Amino acid sequence: MARRAETIELAVLGLLHEGPMHGYELRKRLNLMLGWGRVLSYGSLYPTLKKMLRGSLIEETTATITPVTKRARIVYEVTEAGTREFERLMSEVGPTAWEDDNFDIRFAFFGRTDMEIRLRVLEGRRIRLQERLDRVQRELNMTEQEVDRYAAELQRHGVESVEREVRWLSDLINAERNAGLPPPATPPVPPAHQA
C-alpha cells in the first residue's frame, strides 16, 4: 500500500507542475495516466493529498465560487519542497523505478528527466522484463503438456505481451542513445565531380 501511495504522490507532483488543479481534475488525469485497468478512487487520492499537505509538498487555495458550482473548490499547487521531491523521485534509478506500478508514471514525466536517468530506467525495465520473459517461457515449455489449451493460450498471450514491451523498450533505448549523437558528416564531394 505504501508503494501505491508513493506512486500517487509522484503522479500528483508531476501533474501539478503543469499548473494548479482541483481534486476532481487530478483524479480524472490520474485515472487517464494509470490506465483503464487501475481506477483511482477518491478514498486513495484524498488521504495522499492530505499527507502531501502535511509534508508541505503541495498547498491548497480556495477557488472563487461560481454560479454553477455554488461552493468553493479547493485547488492544489506544488510548493518548492514539492518540486525538490519530484526531482528527487524522478532521479531515482533503482528497482522501484522500473517496477510495474511505478514505471508508467515515471515514463509519463520522462520529458523532465535527464537522458542518462531515462536510459538507466529503460534499461532496468528491459532487464526486469527479459528476466520475467525467460522465466515464463521456461514455465510455458514445462507446463504446456500439463495444462488445458486455454491456460496455455493465456500463458502464450502473456509471453507475447512481454516480448512486445521488450521490443518497444529496445526501440526507445536506441532512440535515446542516437538522440545524443551528432548527425553523420556528409562525405566530401571528390574534386573531379565539383563544378
Side-chain angles (χ1 to χ4, degrees), residues 55 94 114 118 134 144:
D114 181 69
R118 287 193 306 260
D134 294 343
E144 207 164 35

Side-chain angles (χ1 to χ4, degrees), residues 59-98:
E59 59 190 14
E60 61 183 16
T61 57
T62 305
T64 57
I65 299 172
T66 65
V68 177
T69 61
K70 302 278 192 237
R71 63 183 180 142
R73 284 193 170 174
I74 295 173
V75 175
Y76 300 93
E77 294 183 59
V78 69
T79 63
E80 286 184 36
T83 297
R84 286 190 303 275
E85 179 66 4
F86 177 74
E87 290 168 357
R88 184 191 69 76
L89 290 169
M90 289 300 292
S91 67
E92 289 181 355
V93 292
T96 57
W98 50 74

Side-chain angles (χ1 to χ4, degrees), residues 113-164:
T113 308
D114 181 69
M115 184 182 81
E116 284 302 315
I117 292 171
R118 287 193 306 260
L119 273 171
R120 289 179 63 191
V121 171
L122 290 170
E123 289 167 345
R125 175 76 175 166
R126 183 174 62 179
I127 290 168
R128 178 63 46 90
L129 287 177
Q130 191 62 56
E131 290 169 352
R132 186 184 301 169
L133 182 61
D134 294 343
R135 186 185 71 246
V136 171
Q137 284 175 326
R138 280 193 308 275
E139 291 170 3
L140 181 61
N141 292 335
M142 291 186 315
T143 62
E144 207 164 35
Q145 303 303 318
E146 300 170 13
V147 297
D148 68 24
R149 75 177 196 167
Y150 297 106
E153 281 303 314
L154 185 59
Q155 286 179 327
R156 240 185 313 284
H157 172 69
V159 166
E160 290 170 1
S161 296
V162 174
E163 286 172 337
R164 204 170 23 258

